[in-house]
Amino acid sequence: MKVLILGSGAREHAITWKYSKSRRISGLYIAPGNAGTGELGLNLPEVNPEDPAQVIEACKEYEITHVFVGPEAPLMAGVVDELSKAGIPAVGPHKAAAMLEGSKIFSKEFMKRHSIPTADAREFTEKADFETYIKNKEGSVVIKQDGLAAGKGVLVSDNKEELLNFGNDILKSEKLIVEQCLTGYEISIFALTDGKNYKLLPVCADFKRAKEGDNGPNTGGMGAICPVPYVNSSIISEIEEKIIVPTFKGMSQENLNYAGVLYFGLMMTEEGPMLLEYNVRFGDPEAQVLIPLIDSDLGNITDALINQTLDEYNPRISNNAALGVVVASGGYPGSYETGKQVKPIPVYPEKDALIFHASTTEDESGHVLTGGGRCFTCVGIGANILKANARAYEAVKTVKFEGAWCRTDIGKKFFANEKTI
Ligand code: AMP
Ligand code: GLY
């Protein structure tokens, strides 16, 4: 198996790390990759993952047998459609199914068509209609940009001025939806799917806000845990029955099936689980905590997805817990500088801690430099999330560059009483 992984984030480093442990692998390539993935396989920094022609060319040159797509943008650019025409199997959806993530209007209509519990929503294209609606609305509402926005297209607020500014700005170039604000706690559930069958992976939760105590602006994600301690099997059964089964049934009816990962972003409300969104890929930073807990060989999982044999394949999952802390550039999620030297280059014990790079590069002298807003995810692994938390923060201490910062409370809201574990 010669695998090409598309992307450059810590999620793609985690995917690359897992493939690098596979006995099925005879070649590992990452486009464009980062300094961490470069230690495990061959980075192809000249290949733009969002340009299907460049991806196909790289596949031919390196005789790639399988492609694993990390982020959403290449999926929306139709990279899987083109790979499929070229006869190269890919883990990830074709463009039509990627719309489940790529358009909030499309996904909301899909949820309604298949009676999947979700917040009530209205679509707007005209500024005047939108303004009248907001002016007459009481309390908090949620505005969502229709298209992809890298985590920045959603505003939850009860401040009319803020809502109007945010929405009017979107309406200059695209549509939006305004939806009912739900309260509860959020979890992320990932399903592996081969297009006919699915298998659920352990439940994760991510920490989206920039500041301690889940305050401040939304980010791509400042940390994650897996599993979530109080989500038991009866909660999972309810989510499966009300949301997951109807989703896969709906996808079959509408020819939206694919081989890959489907992510359900859920709000657990007093009325039961409600679906906030679909993502058609692994989450970041959820992948960094989920993937280390998969004991099975990722090459074999890839085979089961591509060959549609997931019904007879049960991925082995570790009994451990994992917790990931994102180390970000000074200023993120606002403006930030890149090119800061990471010194010393972080090393980790692998067994109970991992450090995944995001968008780092290596210069000619072998120095590792930062290249993005979120720079590393430090993952601790242990018998429970408290132990995993301690190990993750030990790993954080080894990541040093000018301006580096992280949230210090990842996982904390799930620790009932620290002394009891
Ligand atoms: P989405 O991209 O749809 O997942 O939205 C991003 C984030 O906005 C979610 O993770 C939630 O924290 C928040 N959010 C989205 N929809 C709602 C809603 N209907 N009620 C409350 N919060 C929401
Ligand atoms: N962690 C949320 C996402 O990947 O979209």
Side-chain angles (χ1 to χ4, degrees), residues 251-409:
M251 286 169 69
S252 293
Q253 286 165 2
E254 301 191 23
N255 283 325
L256 297 177
N257 318 48
Y258 63 90
V261 178
L262 183 60
Y263 160 143
F264 301 81
L266 302 163
M267 183 73 86
M268 306 301 291
T269 72
E270 279 182 4
E271 287 77 46
M274 307 278 268
L275 186 62
L276 297 181
E277 65 165 343
Y278 295 115
N279 289 331
V280 291
R281 50 164 177 92
F282 273 128
D284 183 339
E286 291 96 324
Q288 293 91 297
V289 290
L290 186 51
I291 289 172
L293 298 181
I294 300 175
D295 284 339
S296 298
D297 186 311
L298 188 53
N300 291 337
I301 294 178
T302 304
D303 253 354
L305 297 182
I306 300 299
N307 299 335
Q308 296 202 312
T309 53
L310 198 56
D311 54 338
E312 46 200 61
Y313 184 86
N314 281 314
R316 274 176 294 112
I317 305 295
S318 154
N319 283 329
N320 280 326
L323 183 144
V325 178
V326 169
V327 182
S329 295
Y332 177 82
S335 62
Y336 53 83
E337 288 177 10
T338 58
K340 305 286 182 198
Q341 190 180 340
V342 185
K343 201 174 160 191
I345 297 171
V347 285
Y348 50 85
E350 253 218 40
K351 197 176 148 284
D352 54 19
L354 291 153
I355 299 178
F356 295 120
H357 292 225
S359 305
T360 53
T361 52
E362 196 178 317
D363 67 12
E364 299 87 47
S365 334
H367 299 139
V368 170
L369 306 176
T370 63
R374 293 187 297 165
C375 302
F376 293 90
T377 307
C378 297
V379 178
I381 299 163
N384 56 55
I385 55 165
L386 266 183
K387 293 202 167 80
N389 170 281
R391 287 175 186 153
Y393 280 103
E394 276 303 308
V396 165
K397 287 186 200 153
T398 69
V399 176
K400 294 181 178 147
F401 59 91
E402 190 196 324
W405 70 276
C406 67
R407 266 180 64 171
T408 63
D409 65 341

Side-chain angles (χ1 to χ4, degrees), residues 120 160 196 243:
D120 288 333
K160 288 197 196 303
K196 275 193 192 156
I243 294 174

Side-chain angles (χ1 to χ4, degrees), residues 40-175:
L40 303 169
L42 182 67
N43 282 344
L44 307 176
E46 68 288 358
V47 176
N48 175 0
E50 292 168 36
D51 181 339
Q54 289 189 33
V55 173
I56 303 274
E57 210 177 294
C59 287
K60 290 193 175 139
E61 185 176 347
Y62 296 100
E63 298 175 332
I64 300 298
T65 60
H66 296 78
V67 175
F68 195 115
V69 189
E72 58 278 22
L75 299 167
M76 288 297 290
V79 80
V80 173
D81 307 61
E82 293 306 315
L83 286 165
S84 150
K85 281 185 210 152
I88 303 161
V91 179
H94 44 90
K95 205 171 163 180
M99 288 293 280
L100 284 171
E101 169 166 3
S103 165
K104 298 281 189 198
I105 295 173
F106 179 84
S107 63
K108 190 61 89 175
E109 285 171 354
F110 176 91
M111 293 173 209
K112 293 277 171 212
R113 273 198 299 283
H114 300 287
S115 308
I116 293 162
T118 185
D120 288 333
R122 274 190 60 172
E123 175 186 334
F124 291 94
T125 42
E126 300 297 331
K127 190 169 176 241
D129 298 343
F130 164 71
E131 287 190 343
T132 314
Y133 185 77
I134 292 294
K135 282 177 186 152
N136 293 320
K137 196 89 193 152
E138 289 301 318
S140 292
V141 292
V142 186
I143 295 181
K144 296 186 179 183
Q145 175 178 328
D146 181 40
L148 289 181
K152 299 201 170 114
V154 176
L155 175 70
V156 185
S157 177
D158 61 358
N159 179 317
K160 288 197 196 303
E161 194 186 331
E162 190 182 25
L163 289 163
L164 289 170
N165 287 339
F166 186 82
N168 281 333
D169 214 39
I170 297 173
L171 288 174
K172 285 181 195 151
S173 54
E174 56 170 312
K175 299 181 191 176

